[in-house]
Amino acid sequence: MEYQIGVISGDGIGPEIVREAKKVLDKVAETYGHSFRYEEILMGGVSIDACGVPLTEAAVVSARAADAVLMGSIGGDTTTSSWYQLPPNLRPEAGLLKLRKELNLFANVRPAYLYEELKGACPIKDELIGEGFDLVIMRELTGGLYFGARTTETVDGVLTATDTLTYNEHEIRRIAVKGFDIARKRRKKVTSVDKANVLDSSRLWRKVVEEVAKDYPDVAYEHMLVDNCAMQLVRNPGQFDVILTENMFGDILSDEASMVTGSIGMLSSASLNDTKFGLYEPSHGSAPDIAGQDIANPIATILSAAMMLRFSFDLDREADAVEAAVKEVLKEGFRTVDIYSEGMAKVGCSKMGDLICERIGG
Ligand code: IPM
Ligand code: MG
């Protein structure tokens, strides 16, 4: 089959990790007889430098026209980069938020999985980790505080900033359905996370999730307050299968979950809408401090490409092959510096990509 892939290399380590993911996709294409055509799309700081805005209308059109978009990372050092002298709506991150909204990418899937080989990197004590964990955060991505009205104004002589958190029942229902659907393909448990003891938006969230749950009698579900969830993630992450939550809570909890795996450089993510289209990106940021040194870990981006093969192209066998190749390379002891431990073989970004390619297709 032939697929059109939009590629957002972005800023910082973005270009080098995306290069490795494309290498892996090319190996998949060659091995399994597919054809992937890439079109580079500018977003983030590189787009500000080239076009004056973090995402042009033309870039949105290109992304929309692709079967899926693979992204590296965007943004720079927020204290030193001139991009952060610009008004908030012209900074790199505004490009990503605009793309999510324009393409209606309301469902953000962020798996957090403890690799047997990387158990040593997990910051939690062995007795709490037990058998390890394998969870997915299903984060609502186009609503809530991120997209509500905001103002900064002087009220009675006092500088005052306001952000608004709004959800309607439709927005909650469609993400809840995605959460229960994915749970059905896994261990059949949904933990819906909210702050219903304080927020109206959370009380509505809870009500709608309960309605949706009725359609999934085979899936167990529970409600959990977000502060408790933050605690449970470091106390007993193995209890979770699918964590279903709103935008801001999901942003925070997904960073926490990734840290619990000990290796944010390993975690992939997918942002989906109601079609087969998806935006696939690593869960980590652009790490400008290590950009261009060939030491970044490309695995999260490579695993995001595997998610693209699975979710957008229905190429399960190919996705399995990429995931198996990653596991194989780890088993053989190859590590980028972020996941390195004594006695392992330290490799750079490009070498890691090569090693994974070599393990695809025998
Ligand atoms: C993420 C990031 C983004 C977010 C930023 C870059 C706007 O932290 O994808 O989690 O907050 O959603
Ligand atoms: Mg985040």
Side-chain angles (χ1 to χ4, degrees):
M1 286 281 286
E2 185 169 312
Y3 300 93
Q4 173 77 28
I5 301 173
V7 175
I8 299 175
S9 293
D11 309 315
I13 59 171
E16 48 200 295
I17 53 180
V18 164
R19 196 175 306 129
E20 299 316 307
K22 279 168 71 180
K23 231 189 233 176
V24 169
L25 286 171
D26 287 341
K27 183 65 194 277
V28 166
E30 181 195 316
T31 309
Y32 296 92
H34 303 297
S35 155
F36 299 132
R37 281 183 295 119
Y38 306 103
E39 187 187 343
E40 189 67 37
I41 297 171
L42 285 185
M43 189 172 90
V46 278
S47 174
I48 297 173
D49 292 345
C51 316
V53 289
L55 184 74
T56 62
E57 291 311 320
V60 175
V61 170
S62 299
R64 212 188 286 279
D67 294 313
V69 172
L70 178 69
M71 178 185 149
S73 49
I74 52 141
D77 185 320
T78 51
T79 50
T80 58
S81 165
S82 60
W83 297 329
Y84 296 92
Q85 307 296 320
L86 296 166
N89 64 335
L90 289 179
R91 293 179 193 170
E93 288 73 8
L96 179 58
L97 297 183
K98 178 173 171 179
L99 189 65
R100 287 174 179 170
K101 195 69 173 177
E102 292 269 348
L103 299 182
N104 197 24
L105 302 172
F106 64 87
N108 184 218
V109 189
R110 295 191 165 177
Y113 171 83
L114 188 65
Y115 281 83
E116 184 60 37
E117 291 77 14
L118 300 181
K119 257 189 165 168
C122 173
I124 298 180
K125 285 187 191 142
D126 277 356
E127 63 256 40
L128 296 178
I129 282 298
E131 295 293 290
F133 57 90
D134 174 3
L135 63 89
V136 166
I137 296 188
M138 179 62 87
R139 166 188 176 195
E140 200 291 327
L141 204 59
T142 52
L145 278 170
Y146 277 67
F147 294 96
R150 54 180 118 258
T151 55
T152 303
E153 58 196 341
T154 304
V155 179
D156 298 333
V158 181
L159 205 51
T160 305
T162 307
D163 297 283
T164 43
L165 201 184
T166 303
Y167 270 107
N168 68 41
E169 57 179 310
H170 304 303
E171 292 169 311
I172 301 170
R173 188 165 291 110
R174 65 182 183 177
I175 185 73
V177 165
K178 289 260 188 204
F180 279 85
D181 280 346
I182 199 165
R184 201 167 243 176
K185 294 195 193 140
R186 294 174 45 94
R187 300 195 309 280
K188 299 190 168 48
K189 181 180 174 194
V190 170
T191 303
S192 174
V193 173
D194 62 37
K195 188 70 187 171
N197 53 347
V198 177
L199 302 176
D200 260 20
S201 56
S202 283
R203 286 186 273 268
L204 179 62
W205 183 276
R206 213 171 255 224
K207 179 173 179 294
V208 175
V209 168
E210 277 179 13
E211 286 166 16
V212 171
K214 290 199 181 96
D215 294 332
Y216 295 82
D218 52 323
V219 177
Y221 81 99
E222 63 182 353
H223 299 290
M224 190 178 280
L225 295 173
V226 62
D227 45 354
N228 184 27
C229 182
M231 183 174 80
Q232 296 298 331
L233 271 172
V234 289
R235 207 186 68 89
N236 176 16
Q239 72 185 282
F240 296 111
D241 180 18
V242 176
I243 292 177
L244 168 66
T245 193
E246 64 92 52
N247 205 346
M248 179 66 124
F249 298 159
D251 179 45
I252 298 167
L253 294 176
S254 60
D255 266 27
E256 187 188 3
S258 67
M259 193 56 228
V260 173
T261 69
S263 49
I264 192 165
M266 301 288 301
L267 298 178
S268 54
S269 84
S271 302
L272 310 170
N273 58 24
D274 264 331
T275 72
K276 279 291 191 187
F277 180 88
L279 168 70
Y280 299 86
E281 54 168 316
S283 285
H284 60 71
S286 61
D289 52 325
I290 61 161
Q293 298 174 38
D294 194 35
I295 57 171
N297 185 349
I299 293 181
T301 318
I302 290 169
L303 291 173
S304 301
M307 283 179 105
M308 177 172 81
L309 295 173
R310 196 183 298 285
F311 291 164
S312 284
F313 305 161
D314 285 323
L315 298 176
D316 285 346
R317 182 184 53 158
E318 289 79 345
D320 288 347
V322 173
E323 288 166 5
V326 167
K327 281 200 180 131
E328 185 58 35
V329 163
L330 293 174
K331 209 155 87 199
E332 290 171 35
F334 296 105
R335 303 282 188 273
T336 43
V337 62
D338 57 309
I339 50 174
Y340 177 76
S341 59
E342 190 95 19
M344 298 291 132
K346 199 182 283 177
V347 297
C349 180
S350 165
K351 179 73 182 168
M352 183 55 101
D354 291 342
L355 289 166
I356 292 167
C357 284
E358 284 162 19
R359 281 149 191 80
I360 292 171

